[in-house]
Amino acid sequence: MKIIVIGESNIDIAVKPHGEPLQGGCTPADIAFHHGGVARNIAHNLSLLGHEVQLATVFGDDDFAQAMIDECETLGIDLSLSSQYENAKSPIFLSFNDEVGNMQSAVSDIDLNACLDLDWLMKRIDAVNRADLVVADTLLSVEALSFLIDHCLVPLYIDTVSPNRALLLADAMKRSYRKSFFALKCNLAEAQALTGETALEDAAMRIVDKGIDNVYLTLGEDGVTFCSKKTLQHFPAIEVEAVNVTGSGDAFFSGVIHANSVGINGERTVGYGLKAACHNAKSEAPVNPTLRQSVFNE
């Protein structure tokens, strides 16, 4: 399928301290640099699965940006809808993780994402509507997200990214006149921020009531809850000896999208998402470079 993915590309710096941080001293740690960003990761996964992918994002002009651009071109990801800005620093996300990549705390420097605004998106909306489906993260501005919800004419999939960004999506939904789209992936904290509900099932059903056709509420080792107007169903996680769980949520959503692309719908897509997430957790990188369609037959 022809898929357009809209949102952030960044540099992920992942820190795994060896034991408790030393106060006033230097703590030994494993430090890894990866190309990341929810939108970029999803585009990477979908390209590995054989789709024709366009990534609409913003790049700085430093060495990090050039490395990300080069990798996208090697993967066959079309960057014609992306922009590069002079004298701009690549967005950077620095996380402190446990031994398998569960984030304990994080800081970010993402000023460049302010360019993902309404004017930037409006110039691309005609191209967006020539795709078979569209995926977006919530690093777009509130105005741009609202515009996308109202003007995207093909199935729209949105990843909430974080609880703070979920609040911005809630604002975008309020501003939207259409107030509906095809699919949303979020975790429990993001669902709670989006709805104000604390209970899992209440939050999931409230999101569907807001106008989202398919809700995927990811719960880490506790699995996934799928909710639509027809069903609310929980799926247990697949057991795996995880090396690194960073990026597994992006892989999950990519698996769901791939399932839809081959005619599998509703709750049946969750199995595809779980297999993709499980495969991703076997890699040190946020995207497992060995992801292929054959993963779903295992």
Side-chain angles (χ1 to χ4, degrees):
M1 298 188 78
K2 182 177 180 180
I3 300 173
I4 292 179
V5 187
I6 309 171
E8 183 187 42
S9 297
N10 66 26
I11 297 299
D12 282 339
I13 304 175
V15 180
K16 294 182 183 179
H18 298 170
E20 291 295 320
L22 300 174
Q23 296 297 321
C26 181
T27 303
D30 293 324
I31 302 175
F33 289 73
H34 296 290
H35 298 160
V38 170
R40 196 220 65 87
N41 288 350
I42 291 173
H44 190 164
N45 282 313
L46 292 172
S47 177
L48 292 173
L49 289 170
H51 296 282
E52 180 184 344
V53 181
Q54 284 184 285
L55 175 61
T57 189
V58 291
F59 294 107
D61 66 352
D62 51 23
D63 291 342
F64 287 138
Q66 191 57 53
M68 284 192 285
I69 290 169
D70 291 345
E71 182 182 48
C72 286
E73 292 177 346
T74 299
L75 290 165
I77 296 172
D78 184 342
L79 296 178
S80 60
L81 296 178
S82 295
S83 303
Q84 188 170 16
Y85 295 87
E86 293 183 0
N87 302 316
K89 180 170 58 176
S90 292
I92 296 174
F93 183 82
L94 170 63
S95 61
F96 294 87
N97 305 328
D98 65 14
E99 64 278 3
V100 293
N102 288 302
M103 187 177 71
Q104 306 300 299
S105 62
V107 294
S108 62
D109 182 353
I110 57 172
D111 289 348
L112 183 61
N113 290 331
C115 295
L116 295 167
D117 60 13
L118 179 58
D119 289 341
W120 180 88
L121 181 62
M122 287 177 66
K123 295 173 183 176
R124 292 158 174 78
I125 195 64
D126 289 341
V128 164
N129 283 322
R130 290 194 290 270
D132 293 312
L133 64 86
V134 172
V135 190
D137 66 27
T138 52
L139 274 298
L140 297 168
S141 71
V142 170
E143 296 80 9
L145 274 173
S146 180
F147 178 83
L148 184 62
I149 291 166
D150 287 341
H151 293 86
C152 184
L153 304 179
V154 299
L156 174 62
Y157 299 68
I158 294 181
D159 190 309
T160 48
V161 178
S162 72
N164 286 339
R165 304 308 299 190
L167 293 173
L168 297 182
L169 177 59
D171 190 3
M173 290 288 285
K174 289 179 182 177
R175 298 177 185 221
S176 164
Y177 61 80
R178 189 175 178 185
K179 299 187 184 300
S180 65
F181 54 90
F182 184 75
L184 177 76
K185 184 195 77 70
C186 57
N187 61 29
L188 181 56
E190 292 158 4
Q192 291 168 335
L194 184 60
T195 64
E197 300 284 353
T198 55
L200 184 155
E201 292 188 359
D202 291 342
M205 290 187 289
R206 177 64 67 87
I207 294 171
V208 170
D209 290 342
K210 284 178 175 287
I212 290 84
D213 297 335
N214 302 277
V215 176
Y216 299 87
L217 211 163
T218 57
L219 305 166
E221 62 185 15
D222 292 325
V224 174
T225 293
F226 172 81
C227 188
S228 68
K229 289 182 179 179
K230 296 180 180 179
T231 186
L232 190 152
Q233 188 172 349
H234 180 75
F235 297 81
I238 299 173
E239 290 189 13
V240 61
E241 190 171 333
V243 174
N244 181 21
V245 299
T246 302
S248 293
D250 306 330
F252 172 86
F253 211 21
S254 301
V256 165
I257 293 163
H258 179 71
N260 283 156
S261 79
V262 297
I264 295 170
N265 299 297
E267 64 270 23
R268 294 174 59 212
T269 61
V270 175
Y272 275 66
L274 287 171
K275 285 186 177 182
C278 180
H279 186 75
N280 198 80
K282 299 174 184 178
S283 172
E284 287 284 358
V287 173
N288 189 332
T290 66
L291 178 65
R292 299 294 185 272
Q293 295 186 44
S294 57
V295 165
F296 305 114
N297 300 323
E298 296 175 356

